[in-house]
């Protein structure tokens, strides 16, 4: 006597693995298209003399970033690249104490909690993605 095997039923799709309803698929595609259009309309943000991709800038910081002076923005950019205050001073031709002053001013203008958070924001804005 041979034992027969019944085919197992197809597993139900898990969340994010597929859409079985064509109308739901059309709705999701339309939602993605609208989201992409909104993102494309958001202009780059000027930080000092630098343009930063709007997708990298938290909305809560946009107003503060626009108020940064040229040297504050340059100091912040180099901080985002991982440079020390001494390196930033050398690269910008200013004293290390002046660099600290510019970065502290940026902390106040952006309303962040301190230098550690400013470093995180600077990395988010200026660190290369490659």
């Amino acid at each position: 006597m041979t034992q027969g095997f019944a085919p197992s039923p197809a597993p139900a799709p898990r969340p994010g693995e597929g859409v079985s309803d064509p109308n739901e698929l059309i709705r999701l595609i339309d939602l993605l298209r609208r989201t992409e259009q909104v993102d494309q309309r958001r202009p780059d943000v000027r930080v000092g003399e630098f343009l930063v991709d709007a997708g990298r800038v938290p909305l809560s910081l946009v107003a503060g970033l626009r108020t940064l002076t040229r040297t504050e923005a340059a100091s912040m950019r180099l901080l985002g690249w991982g440079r020390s205050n001494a390196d930033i001073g050398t690269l910008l031709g200013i004293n290390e104490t002046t660099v600290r002053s510019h970065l502290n001013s940026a902390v106040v203008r952006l309303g962040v909690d301190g230098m550690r958070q400013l470093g995180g924001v600077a990395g988010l804005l200026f660190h290369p993605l490659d």
Side-chain angles (χ1 to χ4, degrees):
M1 174 167 114
T2 61
Q3 190 174 11
F5 291 100
S8 61
R14 291 184 289 185
E17 285 192 348
V19 177
S20 58
D21 180 17
N23 291 328
E24 179 67 6
L25 183 60
I26 291 169
R27 188 189 71 76
L28 290 172
I29 290 171
D30 182 52
L31 179 63
L32 282 172
R33 285 187 180 142
R34 282 186 282 149
T35 303
E36 287 172 355
Q37 290 171 353
V38 168
D39 288 345
Q40 289 174 355
R41 284 184 274 175
R42 190 170 164 207
D44 290 342
V45 176
R46 182 165 294 282
V47 180
E49 60 186 17
F50 310 105
L51 279 178
V52 178
D53 179 19
R56 297 180 85 164
V57 181
L59 291 174
S60 62
L61 297 178
V62 171
L65 288 169
R66 290 185 175 145
T67 66
L68 294 178
T69 66
R70 186 175 175 193
T71 311
E72 290 167 352
S75 299
M76 199 169 149
R77 182 178 193 209
L78 293 169
L79 179 69
W81 289 353
R83 298 292 187 159
S84 68
N85 289 349
D87 289 344
I88 294 170
T90 301
L91 291 167
L92 297 180
I94 58 179
N95 190 309
E96 184 178 350
T97 305
T98 307
V99 171
R100 278 195 290 270
S101 175
H102 286 305
L103 292 175
N104 284 329
S105 180
V107 166
V108 172
R109 289 176 193 256
L110 296 177
V112 294
D113 288 334
M115 291 304 296
R116 187 170 293 186
Q117 192 172 9
L118 181 69
V121 169
L124 174 69
L125 299 177
F126 296 113
H127 194 275
L129 294 176
D130 298 332

